[in-house]
Amino acid sequence: MEAIGLPSLTISCSNFQLRKVSNISKRTHHYCTSLELSALKLSPSCTTHLLHRSTIRMQADSEDYELKQMKDMAAARKRWEALVREEKVKVLTPREAGYAIQLTNKTLLDVRPSTEHKKAWVKGSTWIPIFDVDDKFDAGTLSRQITSFVMGGWWSGVPTLSYNNQFLSKVAEKYPKDTDLIVACQKGLRSLAACELLYNAGYRNLFWVQGGLEAAEEEDLIREGPLPFKLAGIGGVSEFLGFTDQQRDAAAKEGWGYRLMFSARLVGVFLVADALFIGAQQVGHYLRDIRSP
């Protein structure tokens, strides 16, 4: 599931969770404290005691943090449902969005991150991401990136994302407040967050693409880019091996040739893993022979 946030939030998309900036600084403080322990001249028992207390405190913070994330997401969903229910944001299917773009020259605003947009985009659309890849190299970002990778990013290929502080200003530069804007993302959640921000900024003619571009069939929208819309949001090891739902659906349509390609990749992975295991064993035997008199 995509995680959504507002300007004061950052996002980690391995499991699509909302993160408060204050929590990031708090975690960084605990991390730095544990590193500084090694530089202090403390007795082993004192160091162990402090590390134990630091670990317990970090676990408690993590539990509170997860609970707050759940509450934030539930509150956000209620706000978005109200926007749609009160018709402050109109709902379009991908096919209806395609008709609107072709027949009425409405603008499609693509709010997806660069990793998804570069794979497939709607012809003539405007790309202004509400979240984009966080490639900074500070301690907080690196910590989030490591956590994202360990918690499933290696499998899903979803990068760590941060809120784009220039989102509203860039939209305002291109479009006046009375413009008809069709807002779309990959699965339909981040675009709802964008609609809320735009509505609060004064935009009143907003249309939300329900289900996102992933729900579009190829004939619904004029696509540009190397991949179908349905495959633009996948990545990582799961994409390489063809283990995503989107790829299984494509395999059912494409036939055996498509399936054989990913089967060959899976066999290749097992062969490489086996070769590495045998190689490690041989190196171990060689090192033991060197050490033996």
Side-chain angles (χ1 to χ4, degrees), residues 88-249:
K88 294 176 180 178
V89 174
K90 286 78 172 178
V91 180
L92 296 176
T93 65
R95 179 165 295 183
E96 291 170 340
Y99 289 149
I101 293 169
Q102 295 180 41
L103 301 178
T104 65
N105 293 319
K106 286 184 172 62
T107 299
L108 187 137
L109 178 62
D110 187 341
V111 299
R112 296 176 299 162
S114 56
T115 52
E116 296 173 358
H117 177 264
K118 68 182 181 181
K119 297 177 181 178
W121 60 92
V122 177
K123 183 178 180 180
S125 62
T126 298
W127 176 58
I128 304 177
I130 184 173
F131 298 102
D132 209 356
V133 178
D134 193 344
D135 54 4
K136 297 190 294 293
F137 288 98
D138 55 81
T141 301
L142 289 175
S143 175
R144 293 196 305 275
Q145 289 174 343
I146 292 171
T147 301
S148 174
F149 182 82
V150 172
M151 295 298 292
W154 64 274
W155 177 256
S156 66
V158 177
T160 303
L161 302 179
S162 290
Y163 174 74
N164 178 11
N165 293 312
Q166 297 181 329
F167 173 71
L168 285 175
S169 61
K170 287 186 177 181
V171 174
E173 287 175 5
K174 292 184 69 70
Y175 303 110
K177 300 294 176 65
D178 59 352
T179 304
D180 290 342
L181 287 178
I182 301 174
V183 186
C185 64
Q186 186 64 23
K187 298 190 178 192
L189 288 180
R190 286 184 297 230
S191 52
L192 265 180
C195 285
E196 181 183 26
L197 289 176
L198 292 168
Y199 185 86
N200 292 339
Y203 288 87
R204 291 297 180 265
N205 302 319
L206 298 172
F207 300 83
W208 169 58
V209 180
Q210 188 175 31
L213 297 180
E214 189 169 297
E217 301 297 334
E218 283 298 301
E219 63 271 15
D220 293 343
L221 297 159
I222 301 176
R223 175 181 59 84
E224 294 182 332
L227 293 175
F229 288 122
K230 293 182 182 297
L231 302 184
I234 62 176
V237 176
S238 60
E239 179 189 19
F240 178 78
L241 297 177
F243 281 3
T244 65
D245 293 336
Q246 297 90 332
Q247 288 169 304
R248 281 193 286 268
D249 292 340

